[in-house]
Amino acid sequence: MFGLWTSFLDSIPGPVPPGQPDAARAWWQMTPDALQSLLSTGIEQINHILSNDPLLRTIDQTWNANPLRDIVPVDWGEVARALRIVWLRGMGRPETALASVTELNMRLWQTALATWNEAGQRWLEAASGPIPAAPKPTDKRFAAPEWQLNPAYRVLKEAYLLASDWLLKQGEANDLDEAERRRLTFHLRQFIDAASPTLMLFSNPAALRRIMETGGLSLVEGTRNLADDLRAGRLSMVDATAFAPGRNLALTPGKVVHRNRLMELIQYTPSTEQAHQVPLLIVPPWINKYYIMDMQPKNSMVRFLVAQGFTVFMISWKNPDASMEDITIEDYIGLGPMEASDVIRDITGSQTLNTMGYCIGGTLMTILLALLSAQGDKRFTSLTLMVSLQDFTRVGDTAVFIDEPAIELIEQQMMERGYLDSRAMSNMFNLLRSNDLIWSNVVNNYLMGEKPAAFDLLYWNSDGTRMTRAAHSWYLRNTYLENNLMVPGKVTLKGQPIDLGRITLDLYAVGAEKDHIVPWDAAWRVTQLVGSKVRFILASSGHIAGMINPPGSKGNYWTNDATPAPATPTTWLQGATKHDGTWWTDWTSWLAERSGPRQALPTLGNATHPPLHDAPGTYVLEK
């Protein structure tokens, strides 16, 4: 930094005789406009130096060679660039930067003085009464009582939070476009989260207390946990031995009644004496295992649906390997829901069926239904979309990872391997909630010396799948990068132009209030894209917990039955009605109206499609 500063000073000319132009004068002799011009020129020079600095160029290479990158997948090169941008913008507005830093320092001193004064008052009061309990923290990283009751720790915490807010505000620049501002803020937040004092052993009171309580054993166990994770090449987030599909997950009885090279079709055993005439096909995302919708019996959506008298079929996607690199999006359509629907109609005798798609499974079904609508094929009666995108204009922080250079890198990796490794996608989603999914586990595993907890949703999250090269490249480019589904006829599949406006069947769509992958107002956009009436529901919680929310769990949801339907998500929310409980009951009532009368139970498979294997099948077990 000293070298950069001196190079900047060297670019400033020395004193010249009066009457010479401002460009040749020393900085203290210049007019304000000329000085601002000189600063801008100097900033451009420094920016050029930094952009060509071998240190910044090698940050990515060094980190990529570091085995810790597999554990903490933060892109430190991007973090360095974000900090550089903040620094350069501050130099471009020195008066604003100076005022901002001065205000920050004043707030730091005020906070420190107030904390020590409060501590002194508390100590005086403790002589005549009990020590008051620490208030409940709003940030769970600082849950240890020392962060509130010990003035040194409290000053450290408040200084960190004040500095964090200050740095994030520096990224809120009006002179940056939305994409660049989002990228800047995201990487600044990654830096802030990584700089938390709770991540350092000697500034984490809970970890120090744990060392004293265990006689240093927690430090030994933490080191062992780190060594184990380095060998495994990943951060342990869950007890991997606590769960397994078919043992204590994916337990709803059923049979695999059809199998091809891309999917297994599971038909679930009825649990009622009669079932609705029209069956239901569930299409999960192909980037995750299907059993998110059939976890433990207490939170299994499949078990709940079967108990409501629905005949449920589930697609279980194969975990692809390098031999499947040429599998296309048309294969996912044809070998997936299209072939599954033919089998279901043959088994049940119903000429129509309902379908539900979760996340990109919903995007796949939307594309298929637009294709079938153009062909006049009416085999599907209704579509349910769970946290699914069709318009990719707003994709939240996910956009940080999806641009032309990023996709080119992903495509290069897929060309080398034939697929995209599941860890690449997992790392992206984990970084979207780094405090919850990365840093909390760093503290638990390495500083506290604890083993990861046994949590079914986290186990599913860690049980990732690979993605075929051709299909995944098509998906990323036609959705996140180019948003081609928004242009009627821009996408052509099986020789047929795709137009979402031609979808006219009944549609039920669910968004999640705190979804960091599919923002709820982006999920709402489907109400404006299709040619049918859409019942939109807003669930509480996030992308997973908001969907897997059985009766009896905490949660609520919002509905809006206004006529005409609200034209924007803001007006929809303003007129929405809040309901306690799960949206599952609202959905099954809506679905029952479109599933026909109850009748005798269908058989599990038939002579043409005999049962091949017990649920959960074989594809879901592939690693």
Side-chain angles (χ1 to χ4, degrees):
M1 297 302 293
F2 178 74
L4 293 173
W5 177 247
T6 54
S7 67
F8 173 62
L9 292 180
D10 288 341
S11 68
I12 301 177
V16 296
Q20 294 293 322
D22 281 334
R25 293 179 180 276
W27 65 269
W28 60 83
Q29 298 173 310
M30 291 184 178
T31 62
D33 290 342
L35 180 59
Q36 181 65 34
S37 176
L38 177 63
L39 285 173
S40 299
T41 302
I43 290 170
E44 291 178 2
Q45 292 175 359
I46 292 177
N47 195 16
H48 177 74
I49 293 170
L50 287 173
S51 63
N52 293 279
D53 189 344
L55 174 61
L56 281 180
R57 290 203 310 270
T58 58
I59 283 179
D60 286 334
Q61 298 173 5
T62 304
W63 183 244
N64 287 339
N66 187 342
L68 283 173
R69 186 183 186 279
D70 293 328
I71 296 177
V72 181
V74 174
D75 189 337
W76 293 108
E78 287 295 331
V79 169
R81 291 182 180 90
L83 294 172
R84 182 189 70 185
I85 291 172
V86 170
W87 178 57
L88 291 176
R89 291 185 65 256
M91 289 191 64
R93 299 176 300 174
E95 68 288 344
T96 303
L98 180 60
S100 177
V101 171
T102 301
E103 180 185 3
L104 173 63
N105 278 287
M106 181 180 67
R107 294 180 64 187
L108 291 172
W109 277 107
Q110 290 174 340
T111 299
L113 289 173
T115 298
W116 283 102
N117 286 337
E118 181 183 328
Q121 184 67 27
R122 191 166 59 245
W123 288 335
L124 290 175
E125 294 174 352
S128 57
I131 299 177
K136 186 176 181 180
T138 56
D139 190 331
K140 59 184 179 182
R141 293 177 296 175
F142 302 102
E146 289 89 343
W147 290 112
Q148 184 66 28
L149 298 178
N150 186 308
Y153 279 118
R154 185 172 177 183
V155 168
L156 177 61
K157 178 193 73 172
E158 296 297 337
Y160 165 75
L161 295 177
L162 286 172
S164 298
D165 291 341
W166 178 85
L167 185 58
L168 285 177
K169 288 180 180 178
Q170 308 314 302
E172 298 174 357
N174 293 327
D175 55 337
L176 299 176
D177 60 44
E178 182 180 356
E180 183 60 28
R181 184 164 56 248
R182 183 189 296 115
R183 182 181 297 275
L184 176 63
T185 301
F186 177 83
H187 289 295
L188 289 177
R189 190 173 295 281
Q190 295 300 316
F191 172 74
I192 288 168
D193 292 344
S196 171
T198 59
L199 299 176
M200 293 174 281
L201 179 63
F202 294 106
S203 59
N204 187 319
L208 294 176
R209 189 177 348 109
R210 181 67 177 165
I211 291 175
M212 298 297 294
E213 293 172 349
T214 63
L217 184 60
S218 64
L219 197 57
V220 175
E221 292 296 331
T223 304
R224 181 179 292 115
N225 292 342
L226 176 59
D228 290 343
D229 284 356
L230 286 173
R231 281 193 295 270
R234 55 169 174 72
L235 172 64
S236 298
M237 297 185 181
V238 66
D239 183 356
T241 65
F243 301 100
R247 173 160 60 88
N248 52 4
L249 298 175
L251 297 178
T252 304
K255 299 287 184 181
V256 174
V257 295
H258 181 70
R259 179 186 292 125
N260 59 34
R261 62 177 178 147
L262 193 54
M263 67 94 178
E264 289 180 331
L265 181 64
I266 301 171
Q267 180 183 2
Y268 289 97
T269 304
S271 63
T272 55
E273 295 182 357
Q274 291 184 318
H276 286 283
Q277 176 187 11
V278 180
L280 171 67
L281 170 63
I282 300 178
V283 182
W286 62 82
I287 64 173
N288 295 109
K289 302 289 182 69
Y290 84 85
Y291 64 87
I292 183 60
M293 286 166 285
D294 186 24
M295 300 294 284
Q296 300 183 72
K298 63 181 180 181
N299 61 352
S300 169
M301 175 181 284
V302 171
R303 185 176 292 263
F304 174 78
L305 288 168
V306 171
Q308 303 304 307
F310 295 100
T311 300
V312 180
F313 291 81
M314 175 78 72
I315 286 179
S316 175
W317 298 108
K318 183 176 176 60
N319 196 356
D321 54 27
S323 67
M324 302 174 65
E325 65 173 328
D326 293 328
I327 291 288
T328 66
I329 196 70
E330 291 185 346
D331 292 322
Y332 271 94
I333 290 174
L335 296 175
M338 275 297 288
E339 191 165 307
S341 64
D342 289 335
V343 174
I344 293 169
R345 293 194 297 171
D346 185 63
I347 291 175
T348 63
S350 175
Q351 292 306 301
T352 60
L353 63 157
N354 298 304
T355 184
M356 184 268 276
Y358 186 5
C359 192
I360 64 173
T363 307
L364 185 72
M365 283 307 306
T366 307
I367 295 172
L368 172 57
L369 289 172
L371 178 64
L372 294 180
S373 296
Q375 297 173 346
D377 190 323
K378 299 182 179 180
R379 69 181 66 194
F380 291 102
T381 298
S382 74
L383 169 65
T384 298
L385 298 173
M386 288 170 46
V387 287
S388 179
L389 280 173
Q390 289 72 43
D391 182 357
F392 287 75
T393 302
R394 291 191 64 255
V395 294
D397 286 338
T398 309
V400 173
F401 302 95
I402 308 295
D403 55 16
E404 184 63 43
I407 290 182
E408 288 180 356
L409 176 60
I410 290 173
E411 290 176 334
Q412 179 183 353
Q413 293 173 340
M414 292 192 294
M415 286 294 294
E416 294 171 355
R417 301 170 181 165
Y419 59 84
L420 180 64
D421 193 283
S422 62
R423 286 181 297 181
M425 192 68 68
S426 176
N427 288 340
M428 181 188 77
F429 291 138
N430 291 341
L431 285 172
L432 296 177
R433 295 176 54 205
S434 59
N435 274 331
D436 293 332
L437 297 178
I438 296 178
W439 299 119
S440 63
N441 287 289
V442 167
V443 172
N444 179 79
N445 298 0
Y446 311 144
L447 301 189
M448 303 296 290
E450 299 282 357
K451 290 294 184 182
F455 184 29
D456 55 357
L457 292 181
L458 281 181
Y459 177 86
W460 169 83
N461 187 59
S462 66
D463 189 14
T465 60
R466 296 175 288 274
M467 283 135 277
T468 64
R469 175 186 59 80
H472 197 60
S473 178
W474 185 97
Y475 176 75
L476 291 178
R477 288 194 171 276
N478 283 276
T479 56
Y480 283 97
L481 190 61
E482 300 175 9
N483 201 17
N484 288 334
L485 295 178
M486 292 301 96
V487 183
K490 183 69 176 294
V491 174
T492 300
L493 292 173
K494 298 183 180 295
Q496 182 67 55
I498 300 301
D499 182 358
L500 301 186
R502 301 187 69 167
I503 298 175
T504 58
L505 50 71
D506 293 342
L507 202 150
Y508 189 102
V510 188
E513 179 188 19
K514 300 178 181 178
D515 197 335
H516 60 288
I517 298 173
V518 179
W520 79 264
D521 50 351
W524 175 89
R525 274 282 293 151
V526 72
T527 65
Q528 311 295 299
L529 301 176
V530 298
S532 58
K533 183 178 180 180
V534 181
R535 179 168 179 78
F536 182 79
I537 302 297
L538 177 60
S540 59
S541 196
H543 192 75
I544 298 173
M547 300 300 99
I548 309 306
N549 184 30
S553 301
K554 295 180 180 179
N556 44 65
Y557 64 97
W558 291 261
T559 63
N560 189 330
D561 299 320
T563 302
T568 67
T570 301
T571 55
W572 185 95
L573 185 59
Q574 290 173 346
T577 301
K578 184 177 180 180
H579 308 269
D580 293 330
T582 176
W583 60 271
W584 288 10
T585 53
D586 182 89
W587 175 45
T588 51
S589 297
W590 180 91
L591 189 62
E593 296 174 359
R594 292 154 180 83
S595 299
R598 294 189 181 227
Q599 60 182 24
L601 300 174
T603 61
L604 287 181
N606 59 11
T608 308
H609 304 284
L612 304 175
H613 198 281
D614 289 337
T618 59
Y619 283 177
V620 74
L621 303 178
E622 295 177 344
K623 298 295 185 181

